[in-house]
Amino acid sequence: MNYYQHQLNNGLTIVGEHDENARSLAMGFFVRTGSRDESPEVNGVSHFLEHMMFKGTSNRTPDDVNREFDEMGARYNAFTSEENTVYYGNVLPQFQEKLQALLSDMMRPALREEDFDMEKNVILEEIAMYWDRPQFRVFEQLRESYYGDHPLGASILGSAQSIKDLSAQQMQKYFSQRYAANNLTLVLTGNFDWDKACADADKWCANWNTDDVPRELSDHKAVAKEERLADDKTNRAHIALMAPGFSAQDPKRIAAEVATEVIGASDGSHLYWALVHPGIAEAAQIGHDANDGDGTYCGYLLADPARSAEALNTFKKVIDNACKNGLKQNEVERAKRRLATNVLLGSETPMGRMRPLGMDQVYRKQYRSAQDLLEQIQAVSLKEVNELLAKSTFDAATVVILEPPITCR
């Protein structure tokens, strides 16, 4: 693999990991913006804007955008998170220029008011659809309860009211600032022509504006709490837990991933054998999420409401035992091998490498090859994992329980 990096005069960063043996290439624009960067008045605008980016430009109609992706045979999509919005495509190498031209043009959308008004209805339907899903609701409430007024507590979708109140002018203002060239990264992986990619970026992107694009990185003080929500539309108990973890810039995040792989991976973990195998819960998991300047352990339980208290108590006991007594060498090694397998399987395709390459640049301004990732996982020691667990943060966990009203049990 050969790694390349270049920056245009306006601050647009371009990074590439070239593999001459690849049969395809992947390309994406990573925008360092998400729900945490929104004010309450425009909550949900990042996700709404993601939809609007496919609604055409001054050069292309919405039909043109979709048709051109299809004519290339592209696999393409976009996603919005609390911290990033990413637009990407995967094509054969012969379509590099066409894909880059299309994605670059999309980054400067028309944002027509008639499209805005129509797409607002789509967003409202999406919000309603997700609120019909208990697992979505419990995690929405969990994030809001855990973070409170901290920016990471903002909803990605926004509320029905915030979307109804959002104006096209507010979206345009948000776009102009957050989609400034110095807040974007163009990422290429696979079999591409680097010199041409840089030349084309200069041709299509050099006139993009720059702006001040701050992000609030204030500390968050977690406080232990438990909340219950009643919903007569569900017959299961959905329990979600969040506790302080490690940021995307903290090297300890890797040991935290190893620890949660042992304790709470979907199959064969401590939680699986304590809860799922004996039938106390239908699902029991915990993982670690690293964000910009902050991180969390995040757990989930699905159980019969009649056994929800038992399931939650068992969940807490498993976590407490791991923190007090530590993990064993053989299970840590197994977890490291599973994580290493995931890295290797992902690195076998350009699409699999595009996201980690982009996130390394966005969060840490660094390059890590797949081999670097493997070595970092393999370097995690039993001592490091157990010392991390011994400094348990789960006593500051927020727990949210969504279940049927008690009269329905």
Side-chain angles (χ1 to χ4, degrees):
M1 301 290 184
N2 293 315
Y3 175 72
Y4 303 97
Q5 183 168 337
H6 177 65
Q7 191 172 69
L8 301 188
N9 291 334
N10 60 6
L12 175 68
T13 299
I14 311 167
V15 298
E17 184 183 74
H18 183 262
D19 179 3
E20 65 179 8
N21 296 314
R23 305 292 293 274
S24 68
L25 68 88
M27 182 186 304
F29 277 99
F30 286 62
V31 190
R32 186 175 175 265
T33 201
S35 55
R36 72 174 296 169
D37 303 301
E38 303 164 355
S39 65
E41 294 76 22
V42 297
N43 183 217
V45 66
S46 299
H47 171 254
F48 193 160
L49 185 54
E50 176 209 318
H51 283 232
M52 291 295 294
M53 303 292 278
F54 288 86
K55 293 300 179 181
T57 71
S58 60
N59 304 308
R60 291 173 170 87
T61 67
D63 286 345
D64 290 335
V65 171
N66 289 288
R67 175 181 51 76
E68 287 185 34
F69 274 124
D70 289 341
E71 286 176 348
M72 288 183 273
R75 295 170 55 198
Y76 67 98
N77 213 329
F79 66 85
T80 305
S81 71
E82 292 85 2
E83 303 188 311
N84 298 285
T85 311
V86 180
Y87 306 85
Y88 61 89
N90 184 199
V91 296
L92 299 180
Q94 68 209 59
F95 295 113
Q96 173 182 327
E97 181 178 359
K98 289 184 178 180
L99 178 60
Q100 189 171 344
L102 177 55
L103 288 173
S104 297
D105 195 33
M106 286 174 59
M107 293 304 101
R108 290 298 177 262
L111 298 182
R112 302 178 184 94
E113 189 143 7
E114 59 269 28
D115 293 328
F116 175 88
D117 294 337
M118 182 181 298
E119 199 64 24
K120 180 177 284 193
N121 294 323
V122 175
I123 300 295
L124 291 171
E125 283 296 320
E126 187 173 355
I127 291 173
M129 177 188 70
Y130 273 101
W131 275 99
D132 281 338
R133 300 179 182 181
Q135 188 173 2
F136 172 83
R137 286 185 58 197
V138 74
F139 277 106
E140 280 284 281
Q141 185 60 47
L142 175 67
R143 180 167 288 276
E144 179 181 330
S145 299
Y146 176 81
Y147 279 112
D149 293 333
H150 189 279
L152 279 169
S155 168
I156 295 173
L157 293 180
S159 68
Q161 191 61 53
S162 69
I163 296 301
K164 287 178 182 177
D165 293 343
L166 186 69
S167 70
Q169 292 72 30
Q170 286 174 309
M171 175 179 283
Q172 180 65 63
K173 181 179 179 181
Y174 182 86
F175 167 81
S176 296
Q177 179 188 40
R178 304 303 305 186
Y179 278 67
N182 53 309
N183 205 40
L184 272 68
T185 303
L186 174 59
V187 179
L188 298 96
T189 53
N191 194 351
F192 56 84
D193 184 328
W194 173 250
D195 290 337
K196 179 161 181 55
C198 292
D200 286 343
D202 191 60
K203 178 169 60 176
W204 294 318
C205 313
N207 64 342
W208 293 357
N209 69 297
T210 61
D211 208 325
D212 181 28
V213 279
R215 167 171 288 172
E216 183 182 339
L217 295 174
S218 57
D219 292 335
H220 170 252
K221 179 68 174 177
V223 178
K225 66 183 79 168
E226 183 175 306
E227 296 184 19
R228 289 182 177 271
L229 306 174
D231 185 351
D232 57 11
K233 295 180 181 179
T234 183
N235 60 5
R236 317 309 294 156
H238 298 262
I239 305 171
L241 174 148
M242 190 172 280
F246 304 95
S247 75
Q249 293 80 20
D250 194 329
K252 291 192 288 293
R253 73 188 185 279
I254 301 172
E257 291 173 9
V258 173
T260 54
E261 182 73 18
V262 175
I263 299 168
S266 58
D267 296 320
S269 65
H270 291 190
L271 290 175
Y272 173 84
W273 292 114
L275 284 158
V276 180
H277 183 70
I280 299 173
E282 296 164 43
Q285 301 170 14
I286 193 166
H288 182 268
D289 292 328
N291 295 310
D292 199 357
D294 191 271
T296 57
Y297 293 100
C298 199
Y300 175 69
L301 276 167
L302 177 65
D304 185 322
R307 304 192 75 176
S308 62
E310 178 188 4
L312 181 57
N313 287 336
T314 303
F315 187 98
K316 290 180 176 179
K317 287 179 181 178
V318 169
I319 299 294
D320 187 60
N321 180 66
C323 293
K324 288 182 176 178
N325 300 318
L327 306 179
K328 298 176 181 178
Q329 182 73 51
N330 63 339
E331 56 190 7
V332 167
E333 292 303 317
R334 287 199 301 269
K336 287 161 61 176
R337 284 193 288 272
R338 287 195 297 270
L339 292 173
T341 298
N342 292 339
V343 169
L344 282 177
L345 290 176
S347 70
E348 288 183 344
T349 65
M351 274 297 294
R353 277 296 293 158
M354 185 193 67
R355 184 165 179 169
L357 183 67
M359 294 307 179
D360 272 334
Q361 176 63 32
V362 170
Y363 283 114
R364 292 171 287 276
K365 305 298 182 187
Q366 68 174 188
Y367 168 64
R368 293 186 300 167
S369 66
Q371 183 61 37
D372 293 333
L373 293 172
L374 288 176
E375 290 174 359
Q376 287 185 316
I377 293 169
Q378 291 165 349
V380 174
S381 67
L382 176 66
K383 179 182 178 183
E384 184 181 359
V385 170
N386 285 339
E387 285 179 349
L388 179 149
L389 289 172
K391 299 175 183 177
S392 172
T393 60
F394 290 95
D395 56 352
T398 292
V399 178
V400 175
I401 303 167
L402 174 66
E403 57 187 347
I406 192 167
T407 53
C408 296
R409 295 184 182 177

